[in-house]
Amino acid sequence: MVRSAIARLRQQRFAERFWAKDPSLWSHEPEAGPAIRSRLGWLSCLQTMREDCRILRAFVGEVRNEGYTHALLLGMGGSSLCAEVCRKTFGVAPGYLDLAVLDSTDPGAVRHAEGRARPEKTLFVVATKSGTTTETLCFFRYFFDKARRRMGVAAGRQFVAITDPGSPLVALAVEKGFRRTFLNPPDIGGRYSALSYFGLLPAALLGVETEALLDRAAALLPGSPPAMASEDHPALVLGAALGALGAAGRDKITLVLSPEIAAFGCWAEQLVAESTGKQGRGLIPVDGEPLGPPRVYGRDRVFVHLRLRSSRDAAVRRQLAALEKAGHPVIRLELDDRLDLGREFFRWEIATAVAAAVLQVNAFDEPNVKESKDNTERLLQALASRSRLAREEPLCRHSGISLYGSPAATAPAPAARSRVRSNPVREALLAHVNQARPGDYLAVLAYLEATPATDQLLARLRRRLRDALGIATTVGYGPRYLHSTGQLHKGGPASGLFLEMTSRDAFDLPIPETPFGFSLLKEAQARGDQEALLARQRRFLRLHLEAKAEPALRRIAGWIEKAFPASQRAIATASRGK
């Protein structure tokens, strides 16, 4: 299968055309050509960025000498995920800036980011390619207002912008007196921007060797040996494999990463999902799902093991060997050290673009993202004005949890029809997950503050449902997933089973220059995506947690565990034809 895919690429002279940035590899529509070509700058930016590392070094030296100890990156999706990978993978080098990422509109997350360090010692990095990203501009307004109250006209010196030339953020940075604006090459799409200023400036602030990252990536450029300029290029082979396996039904790319580089998964998730999930096709990246025995997996999986050579992972390798023996494809990639992530950023950008071409979709657009944004803007106006259009009645309520979604969701599970429905929310939840079919995936969409306790509870929930239903599971925090897997959810295969969770916030934080706060913005985003998914007749259910999120999540996890006892996992899986 994979050999056949590579042979087809040879017939198309794919490698030659790929490095020449031929847009017809992804679309034959004449009007699509210029748009695709304008997003292929990542293929040729490594040398330019390598030269610009001295500019980054000088800038970082400047802010360190002025006493800055912390940095906060304000961004979403492709503007923030590489920074998060670098922070979690490399940590902070001695004497450099302790950088964090804010990509959540949850008021608790905003307040937590605000309280990390003394405000006057924090450098704020406002990152948005378009200069119009709603969440990023709201973050900016909030923190700039705080800085202005403290520092007056000098507040802008605490702010740095990364954006495209000519974006509205360029003018805003001049107006507000930003310390610096880094103009990114405009022909690099957001999710392909890891090895541009969007990824390299945060890395430099952390003290990461940015030149080394770029040098590792440059090893994948076409050149010597000759195979690097042919269809035998390792990144092209990976892309051909993922695309061919996906087209054959193995469309769940299950990422297995050494703990030291586990953060890479959230970046790869966005890249793959947003690039391939459209026209009813797509690859579903599965990040953070723990490995299980072969019996809990359907024939829709491919496992990709990114292993750090020094990792002590004998148990993981034994599990993967067992999966391979059971007939599941396993792809193995090894990193000599953490700086090899530079190579992996580039490898996965190339491979994802190739896989999209094999699937015959345009890797460089996101046609279904705008709908949720438009829904959010409409709902924000209605919510802020307390319009009757904003009212929403739950389908039912029990145990401090309200149910929203399709009316069909209130039907009890087949096994529960004979029982007294003392808890309609629980029964609706069980009915919803029992719709799972072989080849489906469950997406948990959590508009909650991402705390360690919440992470653990969601992991507990997804693992039990994976084992019981035999389907892939994903977890995304809102609204960040809207800039990551959101395109796949709406434009990709209709195999998603969506469980959205929202909660009542304990407090709100007003956003200067707007009639709403972060809590209202988060609510509008959740409901906007709900509308978009239901409009496409996706199988959707929303649980609204009326009180504190953690006790409610424990209650929900308890319902699932009682309905699917661990001893019955294999039976449930077998009954679904696995």
Side-chain angles (χ1 to χ4, degrees), residues 24 82 102 109 168 286 332 357 383 400 409 436 513 516 538:
S24 68
C82 181
L102 178 62
V286 181
R332 295 175 175 85
L383 288 165
E513 303 177 36
F516 52 84
R538 299 308 202 212

Side-chain angles (χ1 to χ4, degrees), residues 189-246:
R191 56 186 175 273
Y192 290 82
S193 65
L195 297 172
S196 70
Y197 282 134
F198 284 104
L200 296 175
L201 175 58
L205 290 168
L206 288 164
V208 179
E209 299 174 50
T210 53
E211 293 95 335
L213 286 177
L214 291 164
D215 289 345
R216 304 291 176 92
L220 292 178
L221 289 171
S224 180
M228 297 300 284
S230 75
E231 287 73 19
D232 294 322
H233 187 290
L236 269 67
V237 170
L238 175 61
L242 296 177
L245 289 166

